[in-house]
Amino acid sequence: HRSQPRRRRHYLAGERGAPRDIVLLNGGVSLLTAGAAATVHDGIAMAAEAIDSRRAAEVLTRLVSASQSEAST
């Protein structure tokens, strides 16, 4: 669906709500699985900090830019 990427950007901009909570839980579990967090709770805190500091949005912007650059070559 075309509005999905826009919604994701809202969550990465710090918009509160159930979808953000799901993103944080998913991120927390992923960070735990990757060994970057000791507990899911720690992972959720790390994910929230990445979103609230805008680092997650910056990484997404770089990823989109890199993938578009790669696709055009």
Side-chain angles (χ1 to χ4, degrees):
H1 194 266
R2 294 186 138 224
S3 65
Q4 291 290 339
R6 277 188 234 128
R7 283 190 198 139
R8 288 186 193 111
R9 288 185 188 271
H10 288 321
Y11 308 139
L12 292 180
E15 185 175 298
R16 307 289 174 168
R20 173 189 161 98
D21 295 343
I22 293 168
V23 169
L24 292 178
L25 180 58
N26 204 4
V29 170
S30 297
L31 289 165
L32 174 66
T33 302
T39 66
V40 173
H41 187 271
D42 290 346
I44 290 170
M46 292 168 67
E49 195 279 324
I51 290 172
D52 295 339
S53 70
R54 307 266 311 138
R55 280 183 315 169
E58 291 167 5
V59 169
L60 177 61
T61 298
R62 288 196 311 266
L63 179 62
V64 168
S65 178
S67 68
Q68 288 173 344
S69 176
E70 186 67 28
S72 67
T73 58

